[in-house]
Amino acid sequence: SVLTQPPSASGTPGQRVSISCSGSGSNIGSNTVTWYQQLPGTAPNLLIYSNNQRPSGVPDRFSGSKSGTSASLAISGLQSEDEADYYCAAWDDSLNGVVFGGGTELTVL
Amino acid sequence: QITLKESGPTLVKPTQTLTLTCTFSGFSLSSNGVGVGWIRQPPGKALEWLGVIYWNDDKRFSPSLKSRLTITKDTSKNQVVLTMTNMDPVDTATYYCAHSHLWEPVDYWGQGALVTVSS
């Protein structure tokens, strides 16, 4: 994948976890980052857009940030229902299309 | 609200052409800046962006798949059609269509359609 994410992350209920997404100047460095949550057996769901904006209905436990060519998704007050795969994405000016991260599987211990 | 739904064959033979239709509601593909993108996900693997068509008929495709892909729209029917030629077992995946804005990743997703390529 063009964007690099850790394959896995974990935390205990109530904890704060962070998932990183690393790119380059042609994608994250030049454009906004989007994050998706994919629960098992379902389609991805928009979690964060424009680096740090939450759609209505997404709890404020989820937050996004971007610095240079990297971005990060933070989940505070971790809950069991947060167990899912998380993907980052951005437009890439060189490839002239959308690039995704390889996904991070979050386990709530 | 915005909804999208993919339809098409669940099983395709190797070398055949796959045609998937995305039927949507809640937005117009004639509105400035609006697009419909296609993404796929092989079983147990990551998301892969395939391409997008915009309100002005501008299209962008994944460089690795560009030669095999066609995307068209029928604004009057609120439909977008994805065509992928020369299907191979490695193309087995769930195919999603999704709403997008110009030069942005997608936001609203369809439920997905699992396509298996097998003889």
Side-chain angles (χ1 to χ4, degrees):
Chain A
S1 301
V2 174
L3 304 182
T4 301
Q5 298 180 235
S8 63
S10 63
T12 57
Q15 207 173 22
R16 181 181 188 274
V17 297
S18 185
I19 297 172
S20 63
C21 176
S22 178
S24 67
S26 63
N27 41 66
I28 294 179
S30 307
N31 299 293
T32 61
V33 177
T34 299
W35 289 90
Y36 306 98
Q37 177 192 59
Q38 187 175 32
L39 297 170
T42 68
N45 191 48
L46 180 66
L47 200 59
I48 298 287
Y49 67 97
S50 296
N51 302 326
N52 55 19
Q53 301 299 301
R54 283 186 310 277
S56 59
V58 173
D60 59 6
R61 304 186 294 104
F62 294 90
S63 62
S65 62
K66 183 184 109 168
S67 178
T69 59
S70 293
S72 185
L73 172 71
I75 309 171
S76 60
L78 198 61
Q79 299 180 4
S80 58
E81 56 260 39
D82 298 334
E83 198 161 272
D85 292 329
Y86 293 84
Y87 292 90
C88 59
W91 186 267
D92 190 296
D93 293 335
S94 296
L95 296 176
N96 228 347
V98 175
V99 289
F100 283 97
T104 298
E105 181 180 14
L106 175 64
T107 301
V108 180
L109 302 170
Chain B
Q1 83 275 21
I2 290 176
T3 65
L4 306 98
K5 188 174 183 179
E6 308 84 355
S7 59
T10 57
L11 180 64
V12 174
K13 288 181 167 49
T15 74
Q16 285 187 336
T17 295
L18 170 68
T19 299
L20 289 173
T21 300
C22 176
T23 303
F24 57 85
S25 63
F27 67 95
S28 173
L29 199 40
S30 59
S31 296
N32 197 34
V34 173
V36 171
W38 287 92
I39 303 98
R40 70 178 179 180
Q41 185 174 36
K45 296 189 177 181
L47 301 168
E48 178 183 16
W49 184 80
L50 302 180
V52 62
I53 186 167
Y54 291 113
W55 85 104
N56 58 359
D57 212 38
D58 191 9
K59 301 162 195 174
R60 296 289 185 266
F61 296 100
S62 165
S64 63
L65 293 168
K66 185 174 183 177
S67 64
R68 299 172 55 203
L69 295 175
T70 304
I71 301 178
T72 60
K73 63 181 174 68
D74 186 331
T75 306
S76 64
K77 292 183 179 180
N78 280 356
Q79 290 183 332
V80 170
V81 175
L82 172 76
T83 302
M84 180 179 289
T85 61
N86 195 23
M87 294 291 284
D88 182 272
V90 300
D91 296 314
T92 294
T94 296
Y95 287 75
Y96 297 98
C97 65
H99 172 275
S100 77
H101 293 283
L102 192 62
W103 315 141
E104 293 283 349
V106 300
D107 42 27
Y108 298 94
W109 296 66
Q111 65 188 30
L114 176 61
V115 178
T116 301
V117 184
S118 174
S119 55

